Amino acid sequence: MTVQSAETAWERMLLEREIERFLYDEAAMLDERRFSDWGDLLAEDIHYHMPIRRNVKFGEQHRENTDTESEISWFDEGKRTLMGRVRQLNTGVHWPEEPFSRVRHIITNVRVLAVDGDEVEVSSNFFVWSNRLRDECVMFIGTRNDILRRDSETGWKIAKRLILLDQNVLLAKVFSTFF
Amino acid sequence: MVTYIKGRGDRNLRDLVDLETGVVSREVYVNEDIYAQELEQIYGRAWLLVGHESQVENPGDFVLGRMGEEEVILTRDRKGQIHVFLNTCRHRGMKVCRYDDGNALVFTCPFHAWTYDTDGRLVGVPHHHDAYFDELDKSQWGLAEVAQMCNYYGSIWATWDPKAPSFEDYLGPFKQTVRWAFQASDGTDAGVELYKPAQRWRLPSNWKFGAFSFAGDSAHAAMTHLSVNAAAIGPQGEVEGGGRHPLAAPFPSKRGYMSSRELGHVGQLAIYEQPGVADYRDTWLLEPGVDDYWRETREIKKQKFANEFLHMQSDGQFHIWPNATMSDWRILMWHPHGVGMTESWRQYQVDKNAPKHVKDAKRRYVMRYCGPAGITESDDMENWNYAHPASLGMVAQRYPYNFQLGLHHNHYDERIPGVTIGDRGPSEENQRARLRRWVEFMEAGSWDDIFPVRKNGKSNGKPRGGNGISSSW
Ligand code: FES
Ligand SMILES: [Fe+2]
């Protein structure tokens, strides 16, 4: 870490605090099933990507996560289909979420990595717990790398989200929440 | 041979599957002893889909696959020959390959460093000279290789049973159907590659819930997939109400259920009233330039097959006994993973020669449609998941499953030999055909008992005595 002036450190702390609050509010929207509100946080040009994680040989770590250019991922899409998923969740007949699961997003280790004009690059870890019907429990642990964009009128928007889920063969039967 | 199941009183398997009345005991799906027998009787014997040659394009390429519960390595050796090996060291059993895919000169076991060539030969054993005294015969201790392998238009199939019939004979009337699944959109044979890698995930339910439902349970779609149209995931977006399938031009044909009662392969495919191929209808309305490619390849296909009836070779999906479901755009594998767990795999074909923007558009469509994040498939998972535990109870098992939809309403059609046809609405005939083959495999002492089966509707002359299953259900 480089030595910063008191003013810079203060500004940085405020920014980090603001970003943390944004990510916590976002998590609350998902946990409280306010999916349409969550959709409003997505930039029109969002890229939402959850690669598949490979077991690769030492030295081939660049191949560990499937790429968006030519390979298959778990999620690799933009706002149109994400909003389709929101509409599906709101039908009341999307069976893996009817009745709704009890989902909790625990967001931690929030770090602002870079600031570039209106955009900030943020890394955070997640622990998503889902408990369903009588006794079905699923957990997802991983990390996210976001580009958040400041919109002077409507607040922060998610312009890019890379989700690295720490699993190879997925140990859940579906993804029925967002990350 | 009569096969009994352990548990509550010894009963014949045939008592559990009554296809004359369409009533099947829940134990067939949830009983642990029956499951253990399935691994041996079905997965130790049948031809299984392992992968595709595009996964191992270059010498030394490998990718892990699965046959039943066990992991295999699909590899191309340095001479270019494709092999399928069990992923276990012959010394003390360690996995010799723990990378999902890659390129290897040799497989060196991380336990005591026995080393195998990509053609399976054991080529290196530490202390071979100074402590094995050159007495270990390396030629006897290569990787365990499948008994038979077949590269069928690019798809790789294998069996552990040296006495299994040839893969073509195994397919019977579904030969053309499998061939079609690996044709490019212009009709070129072996014209596709697979996107990489496979999606693999665990579904807590017996493998037969998924495997026997696909290509045979169209009755589920209206209810199970009620929410899908809201998402408008088809390539046409919200046009015509946002269906999940691409738009297609009508062509004089009828969708039917085709079942090979003898072989257990089934399909939901088209029977044509006239030869040829339908016109292309623009459907990739959200992705500029993509329709141009499909339109051009369709023109080529139309010319190629102008005078052919493409019965069972287009439009729909099919299932190759025991656990491979496919169509011309996706492959669904249902690997047994314990009596109450399935490891589900999805892979997707695309024309090898398609331009990048076409490959990208199709790739994004399959990802939003299929798999555990698939807007369509996620609904199926919930139903298959909970059908299993709700069938486990002591009382629940007194109440058999009902497979009576369309019972006794299939017929033969001379245009399409070797299969029976159900074309009067939803039917569970295709599920009954698989259950029929299931009983035969579970009872068989060897392939001699289950093959050759009756060809072209004629008996092979072998008595199949006392089976209690009428040939006219
Ligand atoms: S287990 Fe592989 S070398 Fe011993
Ligand atoms: Fe379905």
Side-chain angles (χ1 to χ4, degrees):
Chain A
M1 262 220 183
T2 51
V3 182
Q4 302 168 344
S5 71
E7 200 176 349
T8 319
W10 181 244
E11 277 170 9
R12 185 194 161 108
M13 221 163 82
L14 280 178
L15 177 67
E16 227 152 32
R17 202 51 213 99
E18 188 183 343
I19 297 293
E20 267 175 20
R21 179 58 195 252
F22 170 78
L23 294 176
Y24 297 160
D25 286 345
E26 182 205 356
M29 287 175 191
L30 293 174
D31 295 346
E32 292 161 14
R33 302 153 188 162
R34 291 184 282 126
F35 302 114
S36 303
D37 293 347
W38 180 79
D40 291 340
L41 302 180
L42 310 180
E44 293 305 313
D45 60 345
I46 184 175
H47 180 215
Y48 186 86
H49 183 206
M50 184 196 282
I52 292 172
R53 315 283 304 277
R54 281 195 183 89
N55 296 307
V56 294
K57 195 175 164 63
F58 182 84
E60 295 182 15
Q61 285 86 346
H62 59 280
R63 297 201 310 120
E64 185 173 1
N65 306 326
T66 56
D67 71 47
T68 182
E69 280 305 308
S70 64
E71 295 185 311
I72 294 290
S73 297
W74 295 124
F75 290 90
D76 188 355
E77 60 194 57
K79 185 159 186 176
R80 192 186 75 82
T81 41
L82 288 168
M83 294 313 289
R85 292 176 188 277
V86 166
R87 289 196 299 277
Q88 184 181 37
L89 280 162
N90 286 335
T91 57
V93 287
H94 178 39
W95 307 117
E97 285 299 323
E98 176 54 31
F100 278 130
S101 306
R102 289 160 287 275
V103 178
R104 199 65 57 200
H105 288 70
I106 317 266
I107 305 297
T108 72
N109 302 51
V110 179
R111 291 179 299 149
V112 174
L113 300 179
V115 181
D116 181 9
D118 283 339
E119 294 191 339
V120 293
E121 182 185 356
V122 186
S123 154
S124 58
N125 292 353
F126 61 85
F127 179 158
V128 176
W129 167 261
S130 171
N131 172 266
R132 158 154 204 73
L133 294 173
R134 292 202 314 182
D135 55 7
E136 182 182 345
C137 304
V138 186
M139 48 188 149
F140 303 97
I141 294 177
T143 191
R144 307 183 297 192
N145 186 282
D146 293 342
I147 301 291
L148 304 181
R149 189 182 296 147
R150 194 192 291 275
D151 180 318
S152 50
E153 272 157 37
T154 57
W156 292 97
K157 293 278 182 273
I158 307 164
K160 198 165 183 231
R161 173 160 287 174
L162 173 68
I163 305 150
L164 297 182
L165 177 70
D166 296 333
Q167 298 190 27
N168 175 250
V169 172
L170 178 70
L171 300 176
K173 71 180 188 228
V174 290
F175 291 110
S176 55
T177 184
F178 301 102
F179 295 88
Chain B
M1 183 179 139
V2 179
T3 310
Y4 294 100
I5 53 155
K6 291 171 231 140
R8 281 162 238 117
D10 281 351
R11 271 164 304 152
N12 191 324
L13 275 177
R14 299 244 169 197
D15 298 338
L16 305 180
V17 180
D18 184 347
L19 295 172
E20 188 57 42
T21 59
V23 169
V24 175
S25 167
R26 296 178 181 216
E27 290 176 83
V28 168
Y29 281 61
V30 302
N31 180 291
E32 285 184 26
D33 297 314
I34 289 180
Y35 174 75
Q37 288 181 42
E38 285 179 328
L39 294 181
E40 215 175 303
Q41 296 281 113
I42 298 173
Y43 286 93
R45 195 170 273 162
W47 279 94
L48 303 170
L49 177 62
V50 177
H52 189 267
E53 61 182 13
S54 63
Q55 294 174 282
V56 287
E57 257 175 323
N58 303 305
D61 281 357
F62 66 87
V63 62
L64 295 184
R66 235 183 118 125
M67 292 173 70
E69 280 196 346
E70 293 172 87
E71 192 167 80
V72 294
I73 312 171
L74 172 63
T75 168
R76 190 186 287 271
D77 71 24
R78 273 176 280 170
K79 296 197 188 96
Q81 174 65 38
I82 292 177
H83 300 268
V84 179
F85 301 115
L86 195 66
N87 187 10
T88 184
C89 181
R90 293 291 304 280
H91 177 233
R92 200 72 80 251
M94 176 60 185
K95 281 190 184 194
V96 296
C97 178
R98 289 162 320 125
Y99 309 120
D100 294 342
D101 54 36
N103 186 279
L105 276 176
V106 289
F107 296 107
T108 299
C109 179
F111 202 167
H112 315 87
W114 283 28
T115 296
Y116 303 87
D117 202 323
T118 46
D119 62 8
R121 280 178 307 126
L122 178 62
V123 292
V125 175
H127 308 294
H128 191 259
H129 180 66
D130 61 75
Y132 282 103
F133 308 106
D134 294 318
E135 288 160 4
L136 170 70
D137 180 359
K138 283 188 274 190
S139 72
Q140 296 304 303
W141 294 92
L143 291 174
E145 186 159 13
V146 292
Q148 300 185 59
M149 194 203 80
C150 179
N151 181 340
Y152 201 68
Y153 296 101
S155 57
I156 308 294
W157 303 73
T159 171
W160 294 112
D161 195 332
K163 287 167 79 184
S166 77
F167 183 60
E168 283 211 9
D169 286 349
Y170 180 86
L171 289 179
F174 281 82
K175 275 200 298 264
Q176 289 299 334
T177 315
V178 176
R179 180 179 175 181
W180 159 67
F182 296 96
Q183 265 169 4
S185 58
D186 66 0
T188 304
D189 275 325
V192 300
E193 63 189 19
L194 300 189
Y195 293 114
K196 294 167 190 164
Q199 293 175 320
R200 304 174 298 167
W201 78 102
R202 300 273 165 84
L203 167 66
S205 106
N206 184 264
W207 66 277
K208 293 190 287 305
F209 279 105
F212 285 17
S213 292
F214 256 88
D217 183 17
S218 60
H220 85 288
M223 187 61 179
T224 295
H225 300 306
L226 206 50
S227 70
V228 177
N229 283 5
I233 59 169
Q236 67 279 15
E238 309 201 355
V239 170
E240 293 189 4
R244 62 188 192 272
H245 299 296
L247 305 172
F251 194 73
S253 66
K254 202 172 195 183
R255 186 68 85 75
Y257 292 82
M258 284 74 164
S259 327
S260 166
R261 294 170 172 176
E262 289 78 17
L263 296 168
H265 314 313
V266 302
Q268 273 175 285
L269 298 151
I271 316 164
Y272 286 97
E273 306 299 334
Q274 71 176 55
V277 177
D279 287 333
Y280 185 74
R281 179 174 175 197
D282 282 11
T283 188
W284 295 81
L285 310 177
L286 304 167
E287 320 257 1
V290 173
D291 277 319
D292 299 338
Y293 173 78
W294 303 119
R295 210 181 304 110
E296 283 163 26
T297 57
R298 179 66 60 88
E299 282 309 313
I300 299 169
K301 183 169 181 175
K302 277 169 62 182
Q303 284 170 18
K304 205 175 267 182
F305 297 113
N307 302 314
E308 275 187 57
F309 283 91
L310 295 182
H311 306 308
M312 287 178 63
Q313 293 174 55
S314 64
D315 191 17
Q317 56 186 345
F318 60 99
H319 186 88
I320 299 304
W321 169 263
N323 70 334
T325 309
M326 54 186 91
S327 65
D328 61 343
W329 62 281
R330 62 175 174 169
I331 299 167
L332 309 91
M333 295 296 300
W334 315 94
H335 300 290
H337 196 87
V339 63
M341 188 69 82
T342 304
E343 192 169 293
S344 192
W345 288 34
R346 295 289 177 278
Q347 285 170 288
Y348 311 99
Q349 307 96 303
V350 66
D351 287 6
K352 250 183 245 179
N353 297 325
K356 183 172 178 352
H357 69 284
V358 171
K359 286 186 180 175
D360 288 348
K362 190 166 179 187
R363 185 167 52 94
R364 287 191 288 262
Y365 171 61
V366 300
M367 285 189 282
R368 65 184 184 255
Y369 188 108
C370 295
I375 289 170
T376 304
E377 284 212 278
S378 54
D379 281 314
D380 292 309
M381 300 306 140
E382 180 79 356
N383 286 329
W384 296 332
N385 180 177
Y386 280 97
H388 188 105
S391 299
L392 284 174
M394 178 265 295
V395 177
Q397 292 195 18
R398 292 180 196 155
Y399 294 87
Y401 294 138
N402 181 307
F403 283 92
Q404 294 177 329
L405 186 64
L407 184 67
H408 303 303
H409 290 282
N410 262 37
H411 56 88
Y412 286 98
D413 182 327
E414 61 196 15
R415 289 173 296 177
I416 311 176
V419 294
T420 70
I421 312 266
D423 54 7
R424 297 166 60 189
S427 165
E428 287 164 346
E429 182 72 7
N430 284 355
Q431 305 189 44
R432 291 188 290 269
R434 277 170 280 198
L435 285 160
R436 179 190 175 108
R437 194 60 169 156
W438 183 87
V439 173
E440 291 176 346
F441 262 72
M442 291 292 278
E443 287 188 343
S446 76
W447 264 103
D448 292 341
D449 297 336
I450 43 178
F451 203 90
V453 292
R454 292 172 304 165
K455 281 189 177 152
N456 305 322
K458 286 198 197 91
S459 165
N460 63 5
K462 273 184 198 286
R464 312 170 81 217
N467 61 21
I469 295 178
S470 141
S471 58
S472 63
W473 45 267

